[in-house]
Amino acid sequence: MRSPNHTVVTPNRTTAFGPRLRDLRVSAGHTQRQLAHASGLSVRAIRDLENGRVQRPRAVTLRLLAGALGLSAPQLDRLTRETTPRLPPRGPLLGRETELAALTAMLGSEQHRLVTITGLEGVGKTRLALEVARTLDTDDHPTPLWLSPHGPPHNNHHNARRLSDHIGHTRRLLVIDGARPGDTTATHLLTTCPRLRIVVTTRDPADLPPDTLFPLAPLPVPPTGTEPADLGAVPSVSLLLTRLARTHPAFRPNPDTLADIARICRALDGLPAALEAAARWSLVYSPRQLAQQLTTDPLTVARGPDGHPGRATFASVPGTVAALSRRQRHLLAAMSRGTSTEPDGYWSVPHLARTVDRTAADCADDIYRLLVLGVVRRADHHHTALFKVLNIVSEAGCHAAA
């Protein structure tokens, strides 16, 4: 397996190799030509390293530069660590093979220079973007860059200019993780860097082109009545069983516990972060107890067993619901509180239109927006698309729909 060796661009945290090499050269009193002569490299090679055209110098190049600059082995090791940060660590990506294949194919074409992964907190947007970056770390898409914007959008203008100068006309992939409304970094870079591909993850894609959207749904959950022998093939069940094996090695599934596992997956709507939190709670509850607890209160997973917030607290959900239009909030409330005639509480657009006394076209428009934001999920039944509000949204957010 190839070890990750990506450049991670985060504000005020990383130092690019080029500027660091330039500082070392100037401190040593060398011109580029003198450093080239002392190291045995060409002047062009030194220039390409300093201006960022070459991001990952070979080990032999580093040794030659260290010798010419008089760097000790510890100094060389520190230079390498400081200027070659890594992408976050990863485990296996479960249940997202189809999405990963689609995204890598899109970004490999000239028609899709920008892809925007949208979805609810905890659905796995960052994790999928990370895997896309690793998959595209090839000669055709070298050295993915990672930007995690924080603070108000105007604070990112400097980052956009700095990145534009850094990338130039090179062929690169940039991940902008957690973009906020009003952030123009992506559109600016697409204009100034003609060979750049960008993946954006965001909870609210309001300012990004609609044709770039890639809504990320929760993992599929088992329908009620699924046979125990078939549950292991359901992605949400597979993920939860994998996490249970790590957290609670003594756990051994049987038909009864698998039925409880299926209930847990349905209660948590297949949200990966929620399933991981449920696995931690398995140290406290049996599968039957956990299924009963989560069916009553799915927000149990918003905190860890030690009382501290979990990795996904779903604190953003009420704000997501509150930002909807009044008509969309009314539709969401009707889906949460009404009685559906479809299996497992799902709604068809025609039935929903009759319930809220609106046209099917208006309901379809609103359902599209809710899908993009990730607050509802889709299932197909007898050639009909059906939709359901996520349980965590009903618990955490639908009071904002009143």
Side-chain angles (χ1 to χ4, degrees):
M1 180 182 296
R2 178 179 54 195
S3 62
N5 194 10
H6 305 264
T7 300
V8 184
V9 181
T10 52
N12 303 320
R13 289 187 59 189
T14 61
T15 303
F17 181 83
R20 188 75 179 98
L21 175 61
R22 186 184 303 112
D23 291 344
L24 289 170
R25 173 178 61 77
V26 172
S27 297
H30 291 317
T31 65
Q32 287 185 341
R33 185 173 298 278
Q34 288 170 333
L35 180 58
H37 178 76
S39 64
L41 301 172
S42 67
V43 176
R44 179 177 179 179
I46 299 297
R47 184 169 60 248
D48 286 349
L49 287 166
E50 290 191 357
N51 65 20
R53 291 182 185 276
V54 176
Q55 290 292 311
R56 288 185 291 182
R58 297 178 180 178
V60 63
T61 301
L62 288 171
R63 288 196 296 270
L64 291 172
L65 290 170
L69 294 168
L71 301 181
S72 64
Q75 288 174 317
L76 175 60
D77 179 65
R78 185 166 61 252
L79 171 65
T80 303
R81 285 187 286 106
E82 289 176 351
T83 59
T84 314
R86 305 294 179 93
L87 284 175
R90 61 167 179 170
L93 182 67
L94 299 175
R96 295 298 192 193
E97 294 80 7
T98 301
E99 292 90 340
L100 177 60
L103 280 172
T104 51
M106 291 169 66
L107 289 164
S109 69
E110 295 297 326
Q111 289 75 31
H112 293 93
R113 293 183 57 212
L114 172 63
V115 175
T116 306
I117 304 176
T118 67
L120 196 70
E121 175 184 353
V123 78
K125 301 182 295 295
T126 297
R127 181 66 186 83
L128 179 59
L130 176 62
E131 196 66 22
V132 170
R134 295 184 188 280
T135 302
L136 291 178
D137 182 20
T138 65
D139 291 338
D140 291 333
H141 295 81
T143 320
L145 304 168
W146 191 276
L147 177 64
S148 296
H150 296 286
H154 68 264
N155 288 343
N156 295 323
H157 294 170
H158 173 71
N159 291 328
R161 290 193 298 270
R162 182 165 58 91
L163 278 170
S164 179
D165 294 340
H166 175 70
I167 296 168
H169 284 66
T170 59
R171 185 174 178 85
R172 304 295 290 276
L173 174 70
L174 170 68
V175 177
I176 302 177
D177 185 33
R180 298 186 177 187
D183 188 346
T184 60
T185 303
T187 53
H188 172 77
L189 290 173
L190 287 175
T191 302
T192 58
C193 303
R195 302 186 69 198
L196 180 66
R197 302 284 189 275
I198 300 177
V199 176
V200 174
T201 72
T202 183
R203 295 174 191 160
D204 185 353
D207 299 307
L208 292 163
D211 60 347
T212 72
L213 301 186
F214 189 95
L216 186 61
L219 293 173
V221 298
T224 302
T226 303
E227 292 295 326
D230 299 326
L231 288 173
V234 180
S236 58
V237 174
S238 177
L239 175 61
L240 182 53
L241 288 174
T242 300
R243 296 297 183 260
L244 285 171
R246 178 190 303 170
T247 306
H248 193 53
F251 174 73
R252 295 292 183 271
N254 58 50
D256 287 337
T257 55
L258 280 173
D260 294 324
I261 294 296
R263 289 176 60 198
I264 292 171
C265 292
R266 287 193 291 270
L268 298 179
D269 290 293
L271 286 167
L275 294 174
E276 292 176 5
R280 291 192 292 274
W281 277 108
S282 71
L283 294 173
V284 179
Y285 297 116
S286 71
R288 180 67 49 84
Q289 289 175 309
L290 190 55
Q292 293 170 344
Q293 172 70 19
L294 292 174
T295 299
T296 303
D297 179 18
L299 281 176
T300 297
V301 297
R303 62 183 181 88
D306 55 0
H308 296 295
R311 185 171 66 84
T313 63
F314 304 103
S316 65
V317 174
T320 298
V321 174
L324 296 171
S325 71
R326 183 176 181 180
R327 192 178 79 179
Q328 291 163 351
R329 293 197 304 272
H330 177 64
L331 185 70
L332 197 66
M335 295 175 70
S336 298
R337 300 167 185 164
T339 301
S340 171
T341 59
E342 303 293 345
D344 291 332
Y346 281 84
W347 295 78
S348 68
V349 169
H351 182 201
L352 193 54
R354 291 191 298 271
T355 300
V356 297
D357 194 23
R358 290 200 208 114
T359 68
D362 284 345
C363 285
D365 288 344
D366 290 337
I367 287 291
Y368 174 81
R369 174 64 175 166
L370 299 179
L371 281 170
V372 167
L373 294 175
V375 297
V376 301
R377 70 178 305 144
R378 169 179 166 164
D380 291 353
H381 183 68
H382 296 312
H383 307 291
T384 300
L386 304 176
F387 305 94
K388 180 182 180 182
V389 180
L390 271 60
N391 294 322
I392 282 176
V393 174
S394 294
E395 291 294 321
C398 275
H399 62 275

